[in-house]
Amino acid sequence: MQFNIHTITDKDIIVIDAPKRLTSDISDDLKSIMKEYVDREKYNIIINLEETEFIDSSGLGAIVSKISITRSNNGDIKLAAPQRYVVDLLEVTHLNKVIEILDSVEEAIEGFEK
Amino acid sequence: MNDRLIKDLQDLIDQYKTYGMVAELYIFYSSDDDDTLKVLKSYNQNVLQTDFNTEQTFVSDEKIDDDIRHQIINQFQLDSLLHSTRSGSFQLFPGVKYGGNWPVEVGHDLLNAINRHILTVVENWAIKEEIDRYKESSSNMIAEMGALHEISRVIDSKENIDSILSYILQRAMDLLKAEAASLMLKIEETNELEFKVVFGPAASQKIKPFRLKVGQGISGWVADHGKPILIPDAYADQRFDPSFDQKTGFKTKSYLCVPMIYKSRIYGVVTLLNRLDGRPFNENDQELLTTFASQAALAIENTQLLQTAIEKERIDKELQVAAEIQRLLIPDQLTNIPDMDIAATYIPCKSVSGDYYDVIKINDNQYVFIVADVAGKGIPGAMLVSNMSAMLKTYLEHSTNLKVIVERLNTRIMLNTTDDRYITFFIALYNVKDKTLTYINAGHNPPLLIDHQQNVTRLKKGGIFIGCLNWTYEQETINIPDNSLLILYTDGLIEAMNSKEEEFGEDKLIGILKDNRTAKSDKIQKKIIKAIYEHVGNTSFEDDFTLILARH
């Protein structure tokens, strides 16, 4: 598993560090991690894209897979610290309009607090 | 003559000499496949075998030629030499020099008795030989059975592994006359052993799926170390854990556990309990069971290989089906649009993705361009595209309002897919008379419009890819100036990578388009494809790609 996961217990937030390349071979892992947390009623998820240089369609699929369910439970998925390439990709796919993108994990955490 | 027989006969000679009954006893003998006559005699308490030197060939009528008789009697100074006695392939003649003054009749009786004695020794020897041969042939039989089993295993390897393992265990149990037998398989993921097959009195008592850790107990030790354990008396051995006996009421006496090893991988263990004849298991039993266990391991290995092959075949088949669906979806021939020079192509890669494109005529004035790419490969992806294409065509029959069509499509696809599957989608309605293009880009790589002044417009208005979230899509209408070039494509094109993992990239694509803007569409298309192949070099395409060029 190529994901570091941090739990910010007092704020009930899960931070998942995405790997360098989020492609079909590991997107399933990200999907099942998110599913696991959602199943445990953890609906505040931050995906830290700081290290991520490339995301393919399966990676995007994994990111969006739990948007609906988190939102319908008053939670959300936020993306933190994406690199230039990823920002372009999020714009092309219009995901930037769907998901809140923040410059750092700290800002994303603050975002949940509001 | 067989060494053992010689020894037995010499023992006999010694015996008579020790008793003092005879001064000297000789046994002359000859075998059918050797005509020379040989003699066994004692010599200074030591018994020797010597060749009896005779020029003359020995006769086969079981009587010695009179000349030879005399020669022998004289040479060995015998009191008596009996006529030959045949035993198997041997002819034997006892010759005696008496140790005292025996009356002739008594001497004769003694000689007869000795003769019978010799015969008995020879017969015993023959029986022993027979027993040995039988032992040898039965061990050969075991080896043959193993070989036969091997063959049948290869033939039957399509059978399920459970029945093969049961068969092997049953054979081992029968052959080693065990009262109970079990086979446990190693589960790699959890590092545990699980009962797979159980025979014997305990088996009837419904053993629940029972697991133990590798390293735990005797079986666990065997599975861990890959070495057998042989315990002749279970209750006298500290390693034996009687708790299983207590549970089942079975009384373990002798215990034999061997690992199932093939190519140094441990697949599990086979255990036998108690020989039915009451004697403890021995080294031979251990050796034989090890052979059976390694066959079981081989059977498992083969089954696993077969399963991998079947799985591969299934995937290949699935890809074939998906490719077939895709082939049917992609138009054989493009619709002609007045004032437009169109070229389109689809370059497949080894794995089938869900690229889709089409040009649909609504009426003489309106034409629809579509390009789409589904996330998720194989049959589900292909089916989803097929589904989407059918829905789209139905909608287009009733409406050309792209916003309505895309939003409806989005809702329908959301219902039809899993939450991680989506389609990037670009749809445009070209109006011939107005020379306008109305489009919606649903998360697709932006098509490019290059006008006669080399200005590049990226068509990115729209919204998120379809099939994922409810969305209100934006729509945009742009003019298509004369001598402009429109290109629609899927991400496989600009993401095509070379061996240094460098993508082909949008900039390179735009460069080619600009350089060749005035060329015919199919020429430009060829240039692009050539450039991509040059970029990729020996690397194979990760993703297939679609390319549509429309020159106004």
Side-chain angles (χ1 to χ4, degrees), chain A residues 26-88:
Chain A
I26 43 177
S27 296
D28 281 348
D29 290 344
L30 176 60
K31 232 165 44 185
S32 47
I33 289 168
M34 300 219 294
K35 185 180 183 305
E36 196 185 313
Y37 282 106
V38 166
D39 288 347
R40 281 155 55 184
E41 302 188 346
K42 303 288 178 202
Y43 298 117
N44 296 333
I45 299 172
I46 296 168
I47 300 171
N48 179 12
L49 296 170
E50 203 176 334
E51 299 289 326
T52 307
E53 292 170 4
F54 183 78
I55 303 180
D56 75 355
S57 58
S58 68
L60 287 182
I63 290 173
V64 301
S65 63
K66 293 293 167 230
I67 286 183
S68 303
I69 186 154
T70 50
R71 288 189 184 166
S72 55
N73 288 283
N74 297 322
D76 200 2
I77 290 170
K78 295 184 197 294
L79 303 180
Q83 296 183 17
R84 188 67 234 162
Y85 171 87
V86 176
V87 172
D88 288 348

Side-chain angles (χ1 to χ4, degrees), chain A residues 21 24 28 31 54-62 64-69 71 85 88-89 91-99, chain B residues 374-377 414 419-422 424 441-446 458 460-465 468-469 471 474 491 495 497 501 503:
Chain A
R21 292 175 61 82
S24 55
D28 281 348
K31 232 165 44 185
F54 183 78
I55 303 180
D56 75 355
S57 58
S58 68
L60 287 182
V64 301
S65 63
K66 293 293 167 230
I67 286 183
S68 303
I69 186 154
R71 288 189 184 166
Y85 171 87
D88 288 348
L89 179 75
E91 274 171 21
V92 163
T93 54
H94 297 93
L95 261 185
N96 58 341
K97 293 175 191 161
V98 181
I99 303 185
Chain B
V374 64
K377 304 194 189 301
M414 272 173 71
D419 53 12
D420 63 325
R421 209 180 279 281
Y422 58 85
T424 72
N441 184 338
H444 197 81
N445 288 70
R458 299 166 88 235
K460 54 183 186 182
K461 277 270 169 9
I464 192 174
F465 34 70
C468 180
L469 292 167
W471 200 258
E474 283 181 273
D491 58 3
E495 285 173 8
M497 276 192 207
E501 296 208 337
E503 291 185 356

Side-chain angles (χ1 to χ4, degrees), chain B residues 314-361:
Chain B
R314 193 190 63 74
I315 291 169
D316 287 350
K317 186 79 197 163
E318 178 172 326
L319 285 178
Q320 258 178 40
V321 173
E324 181 64 16
I325 295 171
Q326 188 158 35
R327 197 187 59 74
L328 292 172
L329 283 175
I330 287 175
D332 296 336
Q333 215 174 356
L334 272 182
T335 311
N336 280 320
I337 303 177
D339 302 337
M340 283 252 187
D341 159 30
I342 300 178
T345 191
Y346 164 72
I347 307 287
C349 68
K350 52 179 192 285
S351 61
V352 181
S353 85
D355 274 17
Y356 168 71
Y357 71 85
D358 208 352
V359 179
I360 301 166
K361 181 180 179 178

Side-chain angles (χ1 to χ4, degrees), chain B residues 62-64 66 69 81-85 92-94 115:
Chain B
E62 304 189 7
K63 284 184 178 179
I64 312 176
D66 273 342
R69 271 186 82 82
L81 176 66
L82 271 189
H83 284 289
S84 81
T85 318
L92 301 127
F93 318 86
N115 197 24

Side-chain angles (χ1 to χ4, degrees), chain B residues 74-91:
Chain B
N74 286 334
Q75 190 177 333
F76 290 89
Q77 300 180 334
L78 300 176
D79 290 320
S80 181
L81 176 66
L82 271 189
H83 284 289
S84 81
T85 318
R86 172 166 277 276
S87 173
S89 59
F90 292 101
Q91 292 186 60

